[in-house]
Amino acid sequence: MARRVAADVLDTPLDPTALTEACADDRCGAVASFSGVVRDHDGGRGVTGIAYSSHPDAARFLAEVVDEFLDRPGIHAVGAQHRVGDLAIGDHALIAAVAGEHRAETFAALAELIEQIKSRVPIWKHQAFTDGSTEWSALP
């Protein structure tokens, strides 16, 4: 069984390098990581920032998702963190890392992990646009 390195919902800046390094494992030929950052546009509109809100049990949901990847053959470490609160352009909103014996299974696990987090962990985005408007997304 793989190690769960992290499954956290935090209101402080995320450190993708630390998470990736924590997933390192001598049995692994690949450590793949993902950093989701706040961009300056969405749907053709300029973005000034994002506020993320979460359900009180969001960390439990995140841990459940991460733990589903721990029994995958060839995977030895998995971690993910999502930030909540006010984020500026360039801030890390979601980071994840997977260590596996081979690149194909590692990349596949990482891609699926991100999709599962985005679809199942109750974290909502309130985006602010340069024209002064705002928009919620990912609401239940």
Side-chain angles (χ1 to χ4, degrees):
M1 177 178 263
R3 293 179 290 127
R4 182 197 328 150
V5 173
D8 307 307
V9 176
L10 304 166
D11 62 0
T12 55
L14 305 179
D15 185 345
T17 301
L19 182 62
T20 301
E21 289 174 356
C23 283
D25 188 298
D26 288 343
R27 298 171 291 177
C28 297
V31 179
S33 63
F34 171 83
S35 295
V37 298
V38 178
R39 63 181 177 263
D40 68 356
H41 67 281
D42 187 29
R45 297 189 287 175
V47 171
T48 60
I50 295 177
Y52 283 98
S53 301
S54 67
H55 185 279
D57 290 330
R60 179 178 57 83
F61 285 99
L62 181 57
E64 288 173 3
V65 170
V66 168
D67 288 354
E68 290 174 9
F69 290 81
L70 300 181
D71 286 330
R72 288 200 175 197
I75 300 299
H76 293 286
V78 181
Q81 297 177 322
H82 203 301
R83 187 165 169 200
V84 293
D86 294 330
L87 281 72
I89 305 303
D91 284 348
H92 296 278
L94 170 61
I95 61 174
V98 175
E101 293 176 12
H102 304 284
R103 70 180 175 275
E105 66 209 11
T106 304
F107 281 136
L110 179 63
E112 187 178 340
L113 174 65
I114 296 303
E115 293 306 317
Q116 290 297 315
I117 291 169
K118 298 290 282 177
S119 68
R120 295 176 41 204
V121 179
I123 295 177
W124 309 288
K125 176 170 67 172
H126 191 219
Q127 207 160 211
F129 297 100
T130 55
D131 66 4
S133 65
T134 64
E135 178 181 271
W136 283 96
S137 61
L139 292 173

